[in-house]
Amino acid sequence: MSKLSHLDDKGAARMVDVSDKAETAREAVAESLILLSAEAFDAVVSGTVPKGDVLAAARIAGIMAAKRVPDLIPLCHPLPITGAQMEFEPLAERNAIRIAATVKTFGKTGVEMEALTAASVAALTIYDMVKAVDKSAVIASVRLISKSGGKSGDYRSVGESRSDQIKSITSPAPLATPKTANAKKQSAKPQVLMGEVAAARAPAAPHAQRDAFRTFMTSHRLRATQWAKEAGVPVGEIMAFLTGRSRGFASETADKLARAAKVRTDDMFK
């Protein structure tokens, strides 16, 4: 009566019987995109949101959500999740956060819903964390990027790029141009810029430098976009350091930021 696997011959809902399926390694990658105001975006990446570390909360929420799908989505099978990873890509020019959720299992059915749910709940968590600053934040999209394993084989999204899709969405905060939709899932992983150096003359470990830099921004009431403009440096360099996508600044960049803030370079990392 129906080609939908969740319906029987009489059209009644059912949980699909996977007893005879082979167990295989399975993986799914899903993404969501949330659009923020400039103020909310700066607060997220600089760690100054009143509720706390937004991306840390969203990361845990996404992983937890991947493990609770059978409690949320009717007819989904309980699965032994063997891996769940959340990645966040700030799109600085357009005040957006791209979320990528990767979920793995070894079993008889796939983890597409787990990845989609993880990406969705992470986006909702970001909204919850920033709503006091920006109630107009928009979750612009949630979609499957790729899956592997199982009888149906591999899948990778194709068609128009995410950039083209996003441009068609009306929102108060326009988006940056992300990578194309058929990019490999590895593209969501942070990349280190060539030629970068450790945060200028600071002996501390990278994470300690990052925490010190964030504290410096907070104590001096510095907003990333305005500070970068005054210093004459790309705001993306500040965002990349704050979010761990780079290990530090080029010496010239660090010196420009220090001059704009009217401090010594070393003062930004103490």
Side-chain angles (χ1 to χ4, degrees):
M1 181 177 182
S2 173
K3 293 182 180 180
L4 297 176
S5 59
H6 284 92
L7 298 179
D8 62 19
D9 292 339
K10 297 180 180 180
R14 65 174 182 179
M15 177 179 280
V16 177
D17 187 349
V18 297
S19 302
D20 296 330
K21 285 189 175 183
E23 291 189 339
T24 64
R26 299 167 184 266
E27 178 177 324
V29 181
E31 73 166 16
S32 58
L33 198 66
I34 183 166
L35 320 181
L36 306 170
S37 66
E39 180 183 6
F41 181 80
D42 274 354
V44 170
V45 298
S46 63
T48 57
V49 173
K51 282 191 174 183
D53 191 329
V54 173
L55 300 186
R59 187 183 308 278
I60 296 301
I63 293 171
M64 291 178 63
K67 299 189 291 184
R68 298 298 299 272
V69 169
D71 297 330
L72 302 171
I73 311 295
L75 310 181
C76 283
H77 294 82
L79 297 177
I81 302 299
T82 58
Q85 181 178 354
M86 306 297 300
E87 296 178 2
F88 301 88
E89 180 184 7
L91 306 178
E93 295 179 0
R94 303 290 183 165
N95 304 323
I97 305 291
R98 175 180 176 265
I99 303 162
T102 302
V103 182
K104 299 179 181 180
T105 190
F106 189 86
K108 297 185 176 185
T109 189
V111 283
E112 293 94 322
M113 291 308 304
E114 283 71 14
L116 286 163
T117 302
S120 300
V121 171
L124 287 168
T125 300
I126 291 176
Y127 182 91
D128 178 60
M129 296 286 283
V130 305
K131 66 180 185 291
V133 178
D134 180 18
K135 289 182 173 60
S136 66
V138 176
I139 298 174
S141 65
V142 179
R143 66 182 191 135
L144 183 69
I145 296 300
S146 65
K147 59 86 64 176
S148 62
K151 183 178 179 180
S152 64
D154 294 351
Y155 163 84
R156 190 171 300 281
S157 63
V158 294
E160 67 179 352
S161 68
R162 285 198 296 270
S163 174
D164 292 335
Q165 292 175 334
I166 292 164
K167 286 178 181 177
S168 67
I169 298 172
T170 301
S171 69
L175 292 181
T177 302
K179 305 174 184 69
T180 57
N182 60 348
K184 293 182 180 180
K185 61 179 178 295
Q186 287 86 353
S187 64
K189 294 183 179 179
Q191 297 180 351
V192 177
L193 298 176
M194 293 182 63
E196 70 180 7
V197 297
R201 297 182 291 279
H207 68 275
Q209 293 176 342
R210 189 171 296 110
D211 290 343
F213 186 75
R214 184 177 289 115
T215 299
F216 172 81
M217 287 185 64
T218 303
S219 63
H220 286 73
R221 299 181 182 276
L222 293 169
R223 293 290 187 184
T225 50
Q226 184 60 33
W227 188 18
K229 182 177 179 181
E230 293 173 356
V233 303
V235 67
E237 293 193 30
I238 298 178
M239 301 303 185
F241 182 55
L242 286 171
T243 57
R245 292 189 294 126
S246 72
R247 294 173 298 181
F249 299 108
S251 297
E252 181 181 0
T253 299
D255 290 342
K256 287 182 177 179
L257 289 171
R259 285 197 296 271
K262 299 180 180 179
V263 298
R264 297 180 305 170
T265 304
D266 290 347
D267 292 339
M268 299 188 298
F269 307 101
K270 290 182 179 179

